């Protein structure tokens, strides 16, 4: 089995192969497949060429400019748009691995981190869910 990264967030610029302001580059290595949502800021099928502290260079240039766009390495399935300030991982229903629940408006969690959604890391009813943050930097204690 291959590795699966949690979705990350970064800035894409049309015509550039570099994703800037990446929320998390940990674990990404040259050769990894990188994807965005359908009609997203890049062509699917791009591969990672190199990784910096907060940048990832891709084998294909972005086709659109988009700030804070999610990117990932497995096909994701958007299952629900959640409205309002308080939301959590699904507590019922059947979900496959890769199901992604996105906040319509990202909000800060109890630790001050910007929570943008939840990804199902193990399918089931309701499955196991991990939070997805816009920033991987923990707030100062």
């Amino acid at each position: 089995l291959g590795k699966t990264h949690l979705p990350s967030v970064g800035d894409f610029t049309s015509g550039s192969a570099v994703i800037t302001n990446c929320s998390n580059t940990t674990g990404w290595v040259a050769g990894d497949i990188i994807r965005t949502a359908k009609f997203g800021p890049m062509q699917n099928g791009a591969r990672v060429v190199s990784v910096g502290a907060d940048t990832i260079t891709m084998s294909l240039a972005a086709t659109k400019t988009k700030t804070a766009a999610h990117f990932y390495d497995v096909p994701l399935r958007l299952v629900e748009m959640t409205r309002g300030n308080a939301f959590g991982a699904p507590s019922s229903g059947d979900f496959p691995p890769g199901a992604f629940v996105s906040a319509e408006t990202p909000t800060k969690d109890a630790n001050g981190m910007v929570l943008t959604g939840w990804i199902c890391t193990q399918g089931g009813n309701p499955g196991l869910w991990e939070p997805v943050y816009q920033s991987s930097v923990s707030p100062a204690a």
Side-chain angles (χ1 to χ4, degrees):
L1 295 176
K3 63 185 173 186
T4 300
H5 301 292
L6 292 177
S8 297
V9 176
D11 299 339
F12 292 77
T13 302
S14 182
S16 173
V18 179
I19 307 170
T20 58
N21 300 315
C22 295
S23 63
N24 182 14
T25 59
T26 303
W28 289 97
V29 296
D32 285 348
I33 294 173
I34 192 163
R35 296 177 167 94
T36 59
K38 187 174 184 180
F39 306 115
M42 61 170 276
Q43 303 172 54
N44 282 328
R47 293 201 175 260
V48 173
V49 174
S50 63
V51 179
D54 66 351
T55 61
I56 293 179
T57 302
M58 307 175 293
S59 61
L60 299 172
T63 57
K64 297 178 185 175
T65 297
K66 184 154 175 66
T67 302
H70 284 97
F71 61 92
Y72 39 86
D73 64 341
V74 297
L76 297 181
R77 183 175 142 211
L78 185 62
V79 295
E80 179 180 339
M81 291 299 290
T82 305
R83 292 173 168 73
N85 290 332
F87 83 101
S91 58
S92 64
D94 290 315
F95 296 94
F100 182 65
V101 176
S102 175
E104 183 174 276
T105 304
T107 58
K108 287 187 179 181
D109 70 2
N111 296 316
M113 300 287 289
V114 178
L115 183 64
T116 60
W118 296 83
I119 185 168
C120 183
T121 57
Q122 181 178 331
N125 186 341
L128 296 177
W129 295 83
E130 293 284 335
V132 176
Y133 294 97
Q134 183 172 342
S135 172
S136 61
V137 178
S138 298

